[in-house]
């Protein structure tokens, strides 16, 4: 019974993390530079010409949810 409960909680945590990652990726399309501006401008290449980072996060988030 203990393993069943732990597996159920692990599945729910993974699903929650996947949904959060998809939501963060969608926000990354609308506000791409909000996270990097306070740290450095060297990482702007990941989000400015082509939103590479939000695309990768969206793909991995969908894979986690599936």
């Amino acid at each position: 019974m203990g393993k069943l409960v732990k597996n159920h909680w692990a599945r729910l945590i993974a699903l929650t993390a996947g949904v959060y990652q998809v939501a963060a990726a969608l926000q990354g399309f609308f506000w791409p530079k909000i996270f990097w501006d306070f740290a450095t401008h060297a990482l702007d290449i990941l989000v400015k010409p082509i939103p590479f980072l939000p695309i990768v996060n969206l793909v991995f988030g969908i894979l986690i949810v599936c």
Side-chain angles (χ1 to χ4, degrees):
M1 176 92 181
K3 286 185 178 182
L4 180 64
V5 172
K6 288 179 185 176
N7 288 340
H8 185 67
W9 274 107
R11 184 178 57 87
L12 290 176
I13 290 172
L15 284 174
T16 304
V19 169
Y20 182 76
Q21 187 171 357
V22 168
L26 291 177
Q27 286 182 359
F29 286 116
F30 294 111
W31 300 287
K33 288 182 57 186
I34 212 104
F35 181 73
W36 301 116
D37 279 344
F38 76 91
T40 180
H41 292 285
L43 300 173
D44 285 347
I45 192 89
L46 292 173
V47 292
K48 195 169 182 183
I50 298 172
F52 179 72
L53 192 61
I55 290 171
V56 170
N57 278 332
L58 185 65
V59 169
F60 283 129
I62 291 172
L63 286 175
I64 290 171
V65 172
C66 289

